[in-house]
Amino acid sequence: MSGEPARDARFDGGRGRWVGASVPRREDPRLLSGRGRFVDDVHLTGMLHAGFVRATVAHAHLTGVDLEATRAVPGVVAAFDAADLDLGDVVALLDRPPEEFTPTTMPVLARDKIRFVGEPVAVVVARDPYAVEDGIEATVVSTDPLPAVVSEQTALAADAPAVHDEAPGNVLLDVTMFDTPGVDEAFAAAAADGIVVDLVTHSARQNALPLETRGVVAAWDDHDDQLHVQICTQVPHQVRTVIAHSMRVPERTVRVTVPDMGGGFGQKCVVGREEIAVAALARRLDAPVKWIEDRREALTAGFLAREQRYRSRAAFDTDGHITALDVDIACDMGAYSCYPFTAGIEPLMAAAEMPSVYRVPAYRVRARALTTNKAPSAPYRGVSRPQYVLAIERVMEHAARLLDLDPVEIRRRNVITEFPWTGINAVTYDPGSYLESLELAETIMRDEGWTALRERALGEGRFVGIGYCCFSERTGYGSEAFAKRKMQVVPGFDISEIRMDTTGAVVVTSGTMNHGQSHETTLAQIVAEKLGIDIAQVKLRQGDTERIAYGWGTFASRSATIGGSAVSLAAGRLGELLCRIAAHLLETRPENVALDGEGGVVQLDDPTQRISFADIADVAYLRAHLLPKEVEPTLSATASFDVPGDGTFSNATHAAVVELDPGTGRVEFLRYACVEDCGVVIHPQVVEGQARGGIAQGIAGALYEQVTYADNGEPSAASFIDYLVPTATEVPDISVDHLETPCATTENGAKGAGEGGTIGAPATVLNAVNDALRHTGVELDDTPVHPQTVLAALDDAATSREEATA
Amino acid sequence: MTSERQLVVLAVNGTEHELLLEPRQILSDVLRHELGLTGTHVGCEHGVCGACTVLVDGEPVRSCLVFAVQAEDAEVRTVESLGEGAELTDLQQAFRAHHGLQCGFCTAGFLMLAEGFLLQEPDAGRDEVREAVSANLCRCTGYQNIVDAVADTAARRRGSPGSSTQEAAP
């Protein structure tokens, strides 16, 4: 069971000349000198500005929109309500029976009904953004209010008003995904000889909060016979589809391009209604139109996530082995289903993967998506995994305490160690380093003296705790894995095209979409490595529906795994073509040449015979008569890649040491360690950056951020004064250790690295806080943990201690 | 409602600009949309995130909280003033070396914040740098690499590079 942590498996860089090296990021010079081009930096001649009149009540019949005064405001050019614009609704569907899934639609502008505060009701277009605000202020909206549905309790109450008439019970998805044999028997056995953990965990609604809000500039182009939509989105092709559908125009007449993007974290991987309206306005008004979401809109009316409740029951034998898991999950998805994922995104992810890194022999789960009068939900970095990992990790902690086992030991006894492992959830897990990461994290805590401090602190009257979280993250969901979700559109593959120009430089396309992940560098590293050329000779193209045949964009940690594999395959094919031409020019057999790693092809039996890519390119384009007969005069190749089976799992263990301040209730980090395994690391510095940034967002969810509402559905965290985003003084330094279990199914051995940090941090922090409170009898199972919660726990403990000694 | 425009002279990055502005136009909008200096970004428009930080007479200022007319008679510096042509300054190079940016949206704000801070507090150590950096929001990096980049720049400007990272110990 135990053993030395696999320190020798730590990644030490140096895999290749490019892959494995922290090369300087190629996107940095422009971003550092203010020469990036974000969507709000786009300025077109004659450009108009749009803004939205938004609902101020959470639930109501919409009885009138009066735009007369709006249109009279100086500077205002036009104003429209839903009837004026007459756009098709956004519809996201699952291929599931009616008892499991209730389809609903999201209008571009609210038509008859208002379903959340902030819902767009009308749009105002003016010559400048200041006049837009004047126009919005002049608009009169009449409503007939209904009681608001703002919680699981109010949504599921017998007399609850329906948010959507199609879903009278306010449930959009209700699935019992697993009910394997032996669940009840295991609980009966555990009740007799073992333990049963029964606990409820909540996580608050959160905003993914890219620092750049959403935005769009749309303009009709007569030359191209196209509407050009410049937008910050993670999924340009899906935006094109929905805009074309909603405007009822051929998809060919819409071109979507993406400039530099200031983060997304999932919020921008769904299609927003405002962007569709602006596209339609550009056509209607025959002028370029821009809309930039302001922060208040982003906080109240943007896509949100994470408001979930788990009731987890788990049976354990006396040795601490889990014998059954029975879970009920409710996700508050807000007012609408997002495209393309639907309101099933969170409950389906949670139910499918809840057993996590543990060998669970019997499993039952019911998961529901509730609809409420709140801004709708979208995927947010980690999608349900921060929540189900929190639930299962709290289960482990409770069980460890009941059985008087060390928290690491109970995990050691349950964690999957044999691979591939097909779990009770019918998911096959590819090889990872679950146990190794756990033990390395434990070693770090022990060797650095934190374990000793934890023991010592109590005697000094200090509240110091250590928390662990061991988890995996499915990355690179291919078509096969996504098909199991039963979405009507099934994401998965990626396509790459590579072209070499007359000088030997290449341009490579990817259907993924960089928004901070460093694709311009990392995907170029893969190509440079594969072809044996300098990275300066590689240029990446993304985010243009005219240039990229099709793409699913970037989400679910798919870019390095799927996008990286596609560019690698395309580069490999181009390499083969180069070799074929070179063999002909060198007058030798094709088997007798190979890429030389220095931008050329070498003859194997006589290395003095070499021809550079530039010389091959010169022949391919400018002296095509020299080409072999069977080769056409172009240097390009295309490849697609799809991950087979259930995808590939990254994994990690986090360990945090916290100290609670008995005066303020503040949770202070003394140490945060991340041991992660994302397979072959393409760029260590980038992977570490993803881990740290992800952990910061997980800490935000654990201790600070919470989207709150009054009982009438009015948002009460509409600015950064109330929505508390952690700063440099709340987020600690984080060490990152790499283990490396190469992925067998991706071209480069890489697994995804984008979400893991966010997934592991909430459970790590909550476990550490509880460990610091271990002598008080208090158990906290909800996030965020506010200072007042910690203070109350410490006060309770002090009171009961006094009572005990009195 | 629209109010009468005023002739305003703004000195930005060493150049004087005559502009006809509404009194309600904020400095960040004028820099970005009237002068085309789009390196300064706008993240919250209520003075919390700091993405719009510029230097006004050497002091880091939220340009979303200042009306452009208030900046008359002051020297405004934006991110575009850093470096010569394609040449990056030591601070910009440190951000690159330490991977102190991911999406790059908040970066100009942090650069101008740090530029102003280091002019005022050249002797700042890593803790003081962290405190200063906490003025702005970054959603990508977790801040560690930003703190490292600024602390490293401070140390290099003092002639003692390489003492930036700090190991936690019980």
Side-chain angles (χ1 to χ4, degrees), chain A residues 97-401:
Chain A
E99 63 273 19
E100 288 191 349
F101 176 69
T102 305
T104 52
T105 61
M106 179 168 75
V108 173
L109 295 175
R111 243 195 318 272
D112 308 314
K113 196 159 178 206
I114 285 165
R115 295 190 176 85
F116 67 93
V117 172
E119 176 154 23
V121 171
V123 60
V124 178
V125 185
R127 298 200 192 286
D128 70 75
Y130 290 74
V132 170
E133 297 293 336
D134 296 337
I136 290 170
E137 221 167 280
T139 308
V140 180
V141 177
S142 312
T143 59
D144 186 2
L146 295 162
V149 175
V150 293
S151 64
E152 182 185 350
Q153 289 68 34
T154 53
L156 297 179
D159 59 346
V163 177
H164 292 270
D165 291 344
E166 306 91 307
N170 293 321
V171 177
L172 298 184
L173 177 103
D174 187 347
V175 291
T176 297
M177 266 179 98
F178 298 95
D179 190 357
T180 67
V183 173
D184 294 324
E185 293 80 353
F187 276 97
D193 186 23
I195 57 145
V196 173
V197 172
D198 187 346
L199 104 135
V200 175
T201 52
H202 280 105
S203 60
R205 205 169 194 78
Q206 231 186 313
N207 192 316
L209 211 95
L211 208 58
E212 180 203 33
T213 55
R214 292 183 298 148
V216 59
V217 177
W220 179 259
D221 186 321
D222 277 316
H223 179 272
D224 290 338
D225 192 26
Q226 268 186 329
L227 185 65
H228 183 193
V229 181
Q230 301 186 65
I231 176 173
C232 50
T233 179
Q234 300 169 230
V235 289
H237 282 86
Q238 287 69 53
V239 168
R240 180 181 70 177
T241 298
V242 176
I243 286 176
H245 180 265
S246 189
M247 291 177 66
R248 305 179 188 93
V249 298
E251 202 156 325
R252 196 212 61 75
T253 63
V254 180
R255 177 191 183 191
V256 175
T257 64
V258 184
D260 282 318
M261 187 165 21
F265 314 116
Q267 194 175 66
K268 296 174 183 170
C269 80
V270 297
V271 184
R273 53 213 294 193
E274 292 89 346
E275 294 93 319
I276 302 167
V278 170
L281 288 170
R283 190 76 180 110
R284 176 99 166 220
L285 299 171
D286 198 19
V289 181
K290 176 191 274 191
W291 170 69
I292 303 297
E293 182 183 51
D294 71 24
R295 184 54 64 185
R296 184 186 172 84
E297 292 178 298
L299 285 170
T300 56
F303 289 96
L304 305 170
R306 301 247 201 276
E307 188 164 8
Q308 301 187 3
R309 185 272 302 152
Y310 291 68
R311 181 179 175 196
S312 308
R313 293 171 63 244
F316 286 82
D317 67 19
T318 50
D319 290 331
H321 298 112
I322 189 167
T323 55
L325 182 62
D326 183 359
V327 192
D328 181 88
I329 302 164
C331 305
D332 181 341
M333 303 304 288
Y336 293 103
S337 243
C338 61
Y339 183 94
F341 301 98
T342 80
I345 176 77
E346 287 192 352
L348 290 171
M349 169 74 88
E353 310 200 359
M354 173 91 188
S356 192
V357 290
Y358 301 114
R359 294 185 305 261
V360 176
Y363 179 42
R364 178 189 293 145
V365 61
R366 180 189 188 191
R368 282 172 289 178
L370 312 182
T371 181
T372 59
N373 294 120
K374 301 175 183 174
S377 297
Y380 170 27
R381 198 176 196 173
V383 184
S384 286
R385 287 166 288 193
Q387 283 66 50
Y388 79 66
V389 165
L390 182 91
I392 191 92
E393 292 295 287
R394 291 303 301 148
V395 163
M396 286 294 158
E397 296 280 312
H398 280 264
R401 288 216 199 164

Side-chain angles (χ1 to χ4, degrees), chain A residues 82-103:
Chain A
D84 297 332
L85 273 193
D86 188 29
L87 293 166
D89 293 348
V90 181
V91 187
L93 296 174
L94 296 174
D95 281 329
R96 288 181 180 271
E99 63 273 19
E100 288 191 349
F101 176 69
T102 305

Side-chain angles (χ1 to χ4, degrees), chain B residues 41-158:
Chain B
H41 295 155
V42 175
C44 75
E45 289 181 294
H46 58 281
V48 179
C49 81
C52 66
T53 302
V54 299
L55 296 183
V56 177
D57 290 335
E59 292 266 359
V61 161
R62 313 292 212 214
S63 61
C64 75
L65 290 187
V66 180
F67 291 114
V69 293
Q70 291 175 283
E72 241 190 340
D73 305 323
E75 273 294 327
V76 178
R77 274 188 70 200
T78 69
V79 67
E80 285 90 349
S81 74
L82 300 179
E84 300 266 338
E87 190 95 346
L88 300 178
T89 65
D90 56 347
L91 180 67
Q92 290 167 314
Q93 286 174 29
F95 268 68
R96 191 179 195 196
H98 288 277
H99 191 28
L101 66 156
Q102 289 181 24
C103 79
F105 192 80
C106 70
T107 307
F110 276 102
L111 288 170
M112 299 319 285
L113 172 73
E115 194 64 29
F117 171 74
L118 291 179
L119 283 174
Q120 291 164 359
E121 305 287 343
D123 295 327
R126 198 168 186 276
D127 288 345
E128 290 82 33
V129 167
R130 180 179 287 281
E131 195 70 33
V133 160
S134 77
N136 286 13
L137 297 180
C138 167
R139 195 59 166 172
C140 294
T141 63
Y143 303 105
Q144 183 172 338
N145 294 349
I146 296 176
V147 174
D148 284 344
V150 178
D152 191 19
T153 304
R156 283 173 192 277
R157 286 183 184 179
R158 292 193 296 264

Side-chain angles (χ1 to χ4, degrees), chain A residues 543-561:
Chain A
D544 184 346
T545 55
E546 289 299 290
R547 184 75 177 81
I548 319 293
Y550 200 81
W552 289 102
T554 284
F555 54 85
S557 304
R558 66 189 302 276
S559 301
T561 50

